[in-house]
PDB file of all heavy atoms in Angstrom:
ATOM      1  N   GLY A  58      -2.580   7.917  -5.155  1.00  0.00           N
ATOM      2  CA  GLY A  58      -2.680   9.020  -6.100  1.00  0.00           C
ATOM      3  C   GLY A  58      -1.495   9.956  -5.912  1.00  0.00           C
ATOM      4  O   GLY A  58      -0.685   9.788  -5.007  1.00  0.00           O
ATOM      5  N   VAL A  59      -1.395  10.948  -6.770  1.00  0.00           N
ATOM      6  CA  VAL A  59      -0.248  11.856  -6.776  1.00  0.00           C
ATOM      7  C   VAL A  59      -0.587  13.139  -6.023  1.00  0.00           C
ATOM      8  O   VAL A  59      -1.652  13.725  -6.220  1.00  0.00           O
ATOM      9  CB  VAL A  59       0.169  12.189  -8.227  1.00  0.00           C
ATOM     10  CG1 VAL A  59       1.288  13.203  -8.260  1.00  0.00           C
ATOM     11  CG2 VAL A  59       0.582  10.917  -8.955  1.00  0.00           C
ATOM     12  N   GLY A  60       0.319  13.568  -5.178  1.00  0.00           N
ATOM     13  CA  GLY A  60       0.182  14.835  -4.469  1.00  0.00           C
ATOM     14  C   GLY A  60      -0.402  14.687  -3.078  1.00  0.00           C
ATOM     15  O   GLY A  60      -1.032  13.673  -2.754  1.00  0.00           O
ATOM     16  N   PRO A  61      -0.182  15.713  -2.257  1.00  0.00           N
ATOM     17  CA  PRO A  61      -0.631  15.653  -0.868  1.00  0.00           C
ATOM     18  C   PRO A  61      -2.144  15.571  -0.699  1.00  0.00           C
ATOM     19  O   PRO A  61      -2.633  14.886   0.191  1.00  0.00           O
ATOM     20  CB  PRO A  61      -0.071  16.933  -0.240  1.00  0.00           C
ATOM     21  CG  PRO A  61       0.605  17.698  -1.302  1.00  0.00           C
ATOM     22  CD  PRO A  61       0.594  16.896  -2.557  1.00  0.00           C
ATOM     23  N   ALA A  62      -2.907  16.241  -1.532  1.00  0.00           N
ATOM     24  CA  ALA A  62      -4.372  16.208  -1.383  1.00  0.00           C
ATOM     25  C   ALA A  62      -4.905  14.809  -1.671  1.00  0.00           C
ATOM     26  O   ALA A  62      -5.740  14.286  -0.926  1.00  0.00           O
ATOM     27  CB  ALA A  62      -5.031  17.239  -2.300  1.00  0.00           C
ATOM     28  N   ALA A  63      -4.421  14.183  -2.737  1.00  0.00           N
ATOM     29  CA  ALA A  63      -4.863  12.829  -3.085  1.00  0.00           C
ATOM     30  C   ALA A  63      -4.442  11.839  -2.002  1.00  0.00           C
ATOM     31  O   ALA A  63      -5.225  10.978  -1.594  1.00  0.00           O
ATOM     32  CB  ALA A  63      -4.295  12.411  -4.436  1.00  0.00           C
ATOM     33  N   ALA A  64      -3.208  11.968  -1.525  1.00  0.00           N
ATOM     34  CA  ALA A  64      -2.717  11.053  -0.488  1.00  0.00           C
ATOM     35  C   ALA A  64      -3.527  11.208   0.795  1.00  0.00           C
ATOM     36  O   ALA A  64      -3.916  10.214   1.412  1.00  0.00           O
ATOM     37  CB  ALA A  64      -1.236  11.310  -0.223  1.00  0.00           C
ATOM     38  N   SER A  65      -3.797  12.435   1.197  1.00  0.00           N
ATOM     39  CA  SER A  65      -4.554  12.685   2.417  1.00  0.00           C
ATOM     40  C   SER A  65      -5.950  12.080   2.326  1.00  0.00           C
ATOM     41  O   SER A  65      -6.403  11.390   3.248  1.00  0.00           O
ATOM     42  CB  SER A  65      -4.646  14.188   2.674  1.00  0.00           C
ATOM     43  OG  SER A  65      -5.457  14.454   3.787  1.00  0.00           O
ATOM     44  N   SER A  66      -6.616  12.298   1.229  1.00  0.00           N
ATOM     45  CA  SER A  66      -7.963  11.769   1.039  1.00  0.00           C
ATOM     46  C   SER A  66      -7.958  10.239   1.052  1.00  0.00           C
ATOM     47  O   SER A  66      -8.797   9.607   1.703  1.00  0.00           O
ATOM     48  CB  SER A  66      -8.520  12.287  -0.286  1.00  0.00           C
ATOM     49  OG  SER A  66      -9.769  11.725  -0.559  1.00  0.00           O
TER      50      SER A  66
END
Side-chain angles (χ1 to χ4, degrees):
V59 176
S65 175
S66 176

